[in-house]
Amino acid sequence: MSTEKKINAPSGWAMLFATIVLYLASIAILVGGVMSLDSGNGGMGALLIVLYCAVLTAAIVMSCGFFTLQPGQARVCVLFGDYKGTVRDEGFRWANPFFSRNLGMTSEVAEQDATEKVASKLVGVNLGRNHAHGSKISTRARTYNGDRIKVNDRMGNPIEIATVVVWRVVDTAKAVFDVDDYESYVYTVTETALRHVASLYSYDHMDDDDAMTEAITLRTNIEEVSEALKVELDRRLEMAGVDVVDARLTHLAYAPEIAQAMLRRQQAEAIIAARKKIVEGAVSMVDMAVEKLAEGGNIELDDERKAAMASNLMVVLCGDSEAQPVLNTGTLYH
């Protein structure tokens, strides 16, 4: 496992002044050499010409060491295959001109990148991704909005789920040297982690038992599921030097093939819950009515009449349609 080492790069302005001085010195040496050759001093003229070539070469080489870093950028410095460190100082900087500017890519990544460029030209849209091929790495927070994928929850029900992940590179050495393409690695690992987390929880509670209602589900415990997804991503992306800032579910639904059946089940549960609430209220109202009638002492009801009144009140209170009164011209006993 690679580890990032921070190095400081000197300011580019001082080195720019030194480079300009070398260019001016090379011009002066060239003029002196030409004048020496014209005056017949061939040895001195040849020496000045050689010195001119050396000074000009040094100035050109020094000119290749300038680079700029914006806030949220870092440069990985590799000298002939040896990792020297990472520069995070923003602004106009100068470093060893022999530091690699292209860190290379594997044949698979190169083929994928070439395919994306061809497709971009055909459709007129930029389909390519920012692969980590250059020496500059962005350390800014990035957002990956994943596609909807179909997975099975803990109960085996097919569901559709999607996530958005906010991530950033915190260790440039791991991102560049420990994986081929850290962006593709993040995209692939995100889908894998989402499938794993979704399979650990049920979509919803399947019954009303106390033990089940306390269990974490995908639909009712979004915060807990998102935190579990973030922990899983942090563990998997650590080797790539990537830190997950946040991970949230953006889409959650039953798969189309079972959506109608699950909708009917939810409707049935809602109807049962509503009926249960109505019955509980009706029972309390009937009990209260019987007690109020018996308090005054003017109306005496035996058990049979209480049962008949309770039955009538339950029908009136629990019925879906309005009650139709029926006039009884007799008594309860005839």
Side-chain angles (χ1 to χ4, degrees), residues 29-245:
I29 293 172
L30 176 62
V31 173
V34 173
M35 294 178 62
S36 298
L37 291 175
D38 290 341
S39 62
N41 191 353
M44 181 59 68
L47 180 61
L48 291 177
I49 293 297
V50 173
L51 181 61
Y52 157 74
C53 294
V55 173
L56 180 62
T57 301
I60 294 175
V61 171
M62 290 184 62
S63 301
C64 298
F66 296 104
F67 65 96
T68 59
L69 286 180
Q70 299 178 5
Q73 281 187 332
R75 183 184 178 185
V76 179
C77 298
V78 178
L79 182 62
F80 303 121
D82 185 17
Y83 172 62
K84 295 300 183 181
T86 300
V87 179
R88 290 180 175 266
D89 302 323
E90 60 188 54
F92 184 51
R93 298 291 170 178
W94 184 89
N96 191 328
F98 295 102
F99 282 154
S100 298
R101 294 183 176 271
N102 191 324
L103 300 180
M105 65 185 92
T106 62
S107 58
E108 293 83 359
V109 176
E111 182 179 355
Q112 181 183 5
D113 190 54
T115 304
E116 290 175 348
K117 289 181 179 179
V118 172
S120 301
K121 293 180 180 179
L122 291 177
V123 301
V125 179
N126 184 15
L127 301 176
R129 292 194 295 263
N130 231 345
H131 298 296
H133 304 152
S135 60
K136 290 184 180 180
I137 303 295
S138 175
T139 58
R140 304 184 182 105
R142 311 188 202 183
T143 301
Y144 170 57
N145 192 4
D147 298 329
R148 296 181 185 179
I149 60 176
K150 184 182 294 185
V151 300
N152 292 332
D153 67 355
R154 184 182 179 186
M155 304 301 294
N157 298 319
I159 61 174
E160 290 182 347
I161 192 170
T163 184
V164 59
V165 178
V166 181
W167 60 279
R168 62 181 177 181
V169 176
V170 293
D171 193 311
T172 57
K174 291 181 179 179
V176 173
F177 303 118
D178 291 350
V179 293
D180 283 338
D181 183 0
Y182 67 89
E183 289 188 5
S184 298
Y185 186 80
V186 169
Y187 303 153
T188 304
V189 168
T190 297
E191 180 176 342
T192 305
L194 181 60
R195 290 183 181 275
H196 174 70
V197 172
S199 64
L200 298 178
Y201 306 103
S202 301
Y203 179 89
D204 202 356
H205 300 297
M206 300 303 294
D207 52 41
D208 295 331
D209 294 340
D210 293 338
M212 292 297 297
T213 54
E214 293 178 358
I216 296 177
T217 62
L218 297 173
R219 188 178 69 89
T220 57
N221 302 94
I222 299 296
E223 293 294 332
E224 290 81 356
V225 174
S226 299
E227 183 62 25
L229 178 60
K230 181 180 181 300
V231 172
E232 183 70 13
L233 287 172
D234 278 330
R235 183 180 65 84
R236 294 175 179 239
L237 294 175
E238 182 181 2
M239 68 171 297
V242 172
D243 175 58
V244 178
V245 180

Side-chain angles (χ1 to χ4, degrees), residues 246-307:
D246 194 14
R248 296 286 172 177
L249 299 182
T250 57
H251 176 77
L252 181 64
Y254 281 113
E257 56 265 27
I258 67 167
Q260 292 299 325
M262 291 301 177
L263 178 60
R264 288 194 294 269
R265 183 182 69 83
Q266 292 177 354
Q267 291 174 344
E269 290 178 351
I271 293 174
I272 292 173
R275 288 291 184 182
K276 182 179 179 181
K277 196 70 175 179
I278 292 174
V279 170
E280 291 176 354
V283 170
S284 63
M285 293 177 66
V286 170
D287 185 58
M288 181 182 64
V290 172
E291 290 181 357
K292 291 295 183 181
L293 289 174
E295 282 180 0
N298 297 326
I299 300 178
E300 295 183 358
L301 300 176
D302 55 15
D303 293 339
E304 186 176 357
R305 291 182 178 180
K306 288 181 180 180

